[in-house]
C-alpha cells in the first residue's frame, strides 16, 4: 500500500480535479504491474497496472489507495471495478472508499458480488490525507481552502513600514512555490498586491499554472501589477462598486472580472467559492491579514500552513498575521486539530485543520 500511495503522488497537479490514485498488482509476492492516475481524462491507475500485469493479474492481489470506480453519467474512462473483475483479480486491498457520491461504496460492492475478496482500511488515514482536496471537493463542489502565511516568531507578516521581504528563508519560499503548484487557484487581497506586487506565478511547476485571484471590492488593483503577467490566468473578484471603466481596463489587460454580489461592501466569499468550485478543486489563500480573518471567521478555511521564521519584528504598528476584529475571549478562538510541525531550512512550518464545529466568532466580527 505504501508503494500505491507513492505512485499516486506522481499525479500531483495534472490529475486535478480527479483524485491521486496508485495501483500495484502483486502475484506470489512479486509486483507484476503498477500504475497511477497521471492526468484527468487519462486512464485510471488500475487500468494502467492491469495492462502491465496482463494474464498475471489472474489470481493476483491488487493494492489501491482508493476504491475502484463504477460507471456514472459524464464519466471519461471505463469503470475500474468491472476491469478488475474481468482480469480475474482474486483479492483487492483498498485504503479508503471513494466519497464521490457517484461511487460511494458501489465499486467495492461490485467486486464482492463478483466474488472478489475485499480488504478495506489499510493506511486509511494516510490515504485520506493524500486526497484531502478531492475528498472535500467531490462532495461539497467548493474548493478545499488552505490559508498560507509567512510570519516572524512574534506573528507579524510585515514590519511597521509594511515591508515583508523577506521574513522566511529561501527553503520556505521554495516550498511555497511547490505548494502553489499543488492547488488549482491562489488568492490574495488587493492590499497585498499594492504592498508586495507578487506575480503569484509558479516557477517550479508540477502541473498547470494555478488561477490567480485578487480580491478587490472597489477596483484598486494597479493595471501594471505583476499578477497580470501573461503566464497564468488572473481573475479579479469584485463587487458592483468597481466602475465599468476599471472593469474594461482590466479586461483589456487580459484579466477576468467576476462581479459577485456584495456582502456589505465586501466580496461575498461563499459566492466566490461556489463559482470557483465549478472550475477547480482547491484554493491557496496567501493573505494579507484582513483576508485571512475574513476567511477564518467565516469558517471557510480547511487547512492552515503557517511558516515561522526565527526572527522577531516587534512593533505595535507592524502587520499581524491575522487582522479583522478578532475575538473577545480566548474561548471563542478558532481551534486546530491534527497539528503538524516540520523544519524548513531555518524556519518552521505548522499545519493544522480548524475544528469547524468549534465556537466561532460571529460572521460580522
Ligand atoms: C479509480 N481510479 O485512478 C481514479 C478514480 O471521469 P473519469 O472516468 O476519470 O472518472 C473520475 C472519477 O473516478 C473521479 O471523480 C473519482 O470518483 C474516480 N477516480 N477512480 O478507480 C483512478 N482517478
Ligand atoms: Zn477507475
Amino acid at each position: 500500500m505504501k508503494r500505491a500511495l507513492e505512485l499516486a503522488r506522481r499525479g500531483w497537479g495534472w490529475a486535478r480535479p480527479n483524485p491521486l490514485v496508485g495501483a500495484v498488482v502483486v502475484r506470489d509476492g512479486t509486483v507484476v504491474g503498477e500504475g497511477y492516475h497521471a492526468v484527468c481524462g487519462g486512464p485510471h491507475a488500475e487500468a494502467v497496472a492491469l495492462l502491465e500485469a496482463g494474464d498475471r493479474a489472474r489470481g493476483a492481489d491488487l493494492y489501491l489507495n482508493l476504491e475502484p470506480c463504477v460507471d456514472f453519467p459524464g464519466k471519461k474512462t471505463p469503470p475500474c471495478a468491472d476491469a478488475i473483475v474481468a482480469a480475474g483479480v482474486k483479492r483487492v486491498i483498498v485504503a479508503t472508499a471513494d466519497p464521490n457520491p457517484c461511487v460511494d461504496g458501489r465499486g467495492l460492492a461490485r467486486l464482492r458480488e463478483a466474488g472478489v475478496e475485499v480488504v478495506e482500511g489499510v493506511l486509511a488515514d494516510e490515504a485520506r490525507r493524500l486526497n484531502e482536496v478531492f475528498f472535500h471537493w467531490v462532495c461539497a463542489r467548493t474548493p478545499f481552502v488552505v490559508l498560507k502565511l509567512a510570519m516572524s516568531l512574534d506573528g507579524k507578516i510585515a514590519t511597521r513600514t509594511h515591508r515583508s521581504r523577506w521574513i522566511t528563508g529561501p527553503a520556505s519560499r521554495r516550498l511555497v512555490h511547490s505548494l502553489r503548484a499543488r492547488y488549482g487557484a491562489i488568492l490574495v487581497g488587493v492590499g497585498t498586491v499594492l504592498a508586495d506586487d507578487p506575480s503569484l506565478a509558479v516557477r517550479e511547476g508540477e502541473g498547470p499554472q494555478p488561477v490567480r485571484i485578487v480580491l478587490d471590492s472597489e477596483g484598486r488593483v494597479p493595471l501594471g501589477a505583476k499578477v497580470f503577467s501573461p503566464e497564468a490566468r488572473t481573475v479579479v473578484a469584485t463587487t458592483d462598486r468597481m466602475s465599468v471603466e476599471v472593469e474594461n481596463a482590466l479586461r483589456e489587460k487580459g484579466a477576468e472580472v467576476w462581479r459577485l454580489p456584495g456582502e456589505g461592501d465586501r466580496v461575498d466569499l461563499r459566492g466566490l467559492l461556489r463559482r470557483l468550485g465549478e472550475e477547480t478543486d482547491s484554493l491557496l489563500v496567501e493573505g494579507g491579514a484582513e483576508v485571512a480573518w475574513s476567511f477564518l471567521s467565516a469558517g471557510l478555511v480547511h487547512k492552515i500552513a503557517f511558516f515561522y521564521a526565527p526572527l522577531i519584528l516587534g512593533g505595535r504598528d507592524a502587520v499581524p498575521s491575522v487582522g479583522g476584529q478578532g475575538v473577545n475571549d480566548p474561548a471563542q478562538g478558532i481551534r486546530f486539530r491534527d497539528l503538524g510541525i516540520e523544519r524548513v531550512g531555518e524556519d518552521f512550518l505548522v499545519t493544522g485543520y480548524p475544528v469547524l464545529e468549534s465556537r466561532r466568532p460571529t460572521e460580522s466580527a
Side-chain angles (χ1 to χ4, degrees):
M1 190 59 80
K2 280 224 166 75
R3 178 68 183 148
L5 288 163
E6 195 180 296
L7 289 164
R9 274 187 199 101
R10 297 192 189 166
W12 267 123
W14 298 104
R16 161 175 316 121
N18 273 354
L20 302 172
V21 186
V24 182
V25 186
V26 178
R27 169 99 183 244
D28 302 326
T30 310
V31 173
V32 293
E34 286 188 336
Y36 65 96
H37 185 52
V39 57
C40 181
H44 284 189
E46 299 89 322
V48 178
L50 290 173
L51 185 69
E52 187 185 326
D55 280 346
R56 291 168 299 176
R58 203 155 290 282
D61 286 345
L62 171 63
Y63 289 83
L64 298 171
N65 62 298
L66 191 75
E67 170 183 7
C69 64
V70 289
D71 209 10
F72 57 81
K75 206 166 175 315
K76 300 186 192 82
T77 68
C80 293
D82 291 347
I84 293 166
V85 171
V89 169
K90 184 170 108 263
R91 190 164 70 135
V92 173
I93 299 98
V94 295
T96 70
D98 181 349
N100 183 345
C102 298
V103 182
D104 196 24
R106 289 180 194 90
L108 297 179
R110 168 86 187 88
L111 296 178
R112 289 191 177 109
E113 275 159 27
V116 180
E117 188 189 335
V118 175
V119 179
E120 263 186 275
V122 178
L123 296 186
D125 287 346
E126 220 172 308
R128 234 174 266 123
R129 187 63 60 89
L130 176 71
N131 273 313
E132 60 190 6
V133 165
F134 175 75
F135 274 54
H136 169 84
W137 175 82
V138 78
C139 297
R141 295 286 163 170
T142 58
F144 182 81
V145 177
V146 180
L147 173 64
K148 172 248 137 185
L149 296 171
M151 64 191 92
S152 59
L153 272 188
D154 55 333
K156 313 287 190 204
I157 57 172
T159 64
R160 57 194 285 268
T161 55
H162 290 207
R163 302 231 296 263
S164 62
R165 291 204 164 128
W166 297 103
I167 295 176
T168 48
S172 292
R173 300 206 303 272
R174 269 197 306 277
L175 183 58
V176 166
H177 267 270
S178 67
L179 265 185
R180 282 178 184 161
R182 290 186 179 196
Y183 297 100
I186 313 173
L187 178 146
V188 291
V190 66
T192 299
V193 175
L194 290 167
D196 295 347
D197 195 19
S199 82
L200 301 180
V202 174
R203 287 186 290 264
E204 297 139 43
E206 296 177 25
Q209 289 275 353
V211 182
R212 299 171 294 188
I213 300 176
V214 181
L215 269 189
D216 183 8
S217 58
E218 288 174 65
R220 292 192 295 146
V221 59
L223 290 173
K226 290 200 192 116
V227 279
F228 299 122
S229 64
E231 60 264 56
R233 257 176 82 191
T234 304
V235 170
V236 179
T238 191
T239 65
D240 281 338
R241 293 166 72 211
M242 179 188 278
S243 72
V244 174
E245 293 74 52
V246 171
E247 174 173 351
N248 289 340
L250 286 169
R251 287 193 198 281
E252 223 151 87
K253 284 290 309 180
E256 293 162 54
V257 176
W258 291 2
R259 276 184 197 273
L260 296 154
E263 201 189 39
D265 53 4
R266 300 248 174 119
V267 176
D268 171 23
L269 297 182
R270 282 174 207 280
L272 171 63
L273 293 179
R274 270 195 302 276
R275 172 131 185 212
L276 192 59
E278 290 164 17
E279 301 197 16
T280 195
D281 58 359
S282 51
L283 173 66
L284 186 69
V285 175
E286 295 211 24
E290 295 304 312
V291 169
W293 177 252
S294 299
F295 273 88
L296 281 167
S297 61
L300 299 176
V301 172
H302 301 106
K303 183 177 187 177
I304 54 162
F306 284 9
F307 291 86
Y308 290 89
L311 164 86
I312 286 180
L313 297 175
R316 72 178 64 86
D317 295 328
V319 185
S321 57
V322 180
Q325 186 174 300
V327 300
N328 293 332
D329 190 293
Q332 295 175 308
I334 302 160
R335 291 222 159 252
F336 289 80
R337 63 178 167 80
D338 296 334
L339 285 199
I341 183 156
E342 64 189 270
R343 269 200 107 105
V344 184
E346 302 226 297
D347 305 330
F348 284 98
L349 168 60
V350 174
T351 54
Y353 300 83
V355 182
L356 291 175
E357 339 43 276
S358 76
R359 285 183 64 189
R360 278 201 307 271
T362 56
E363 302 258 324
S364 62

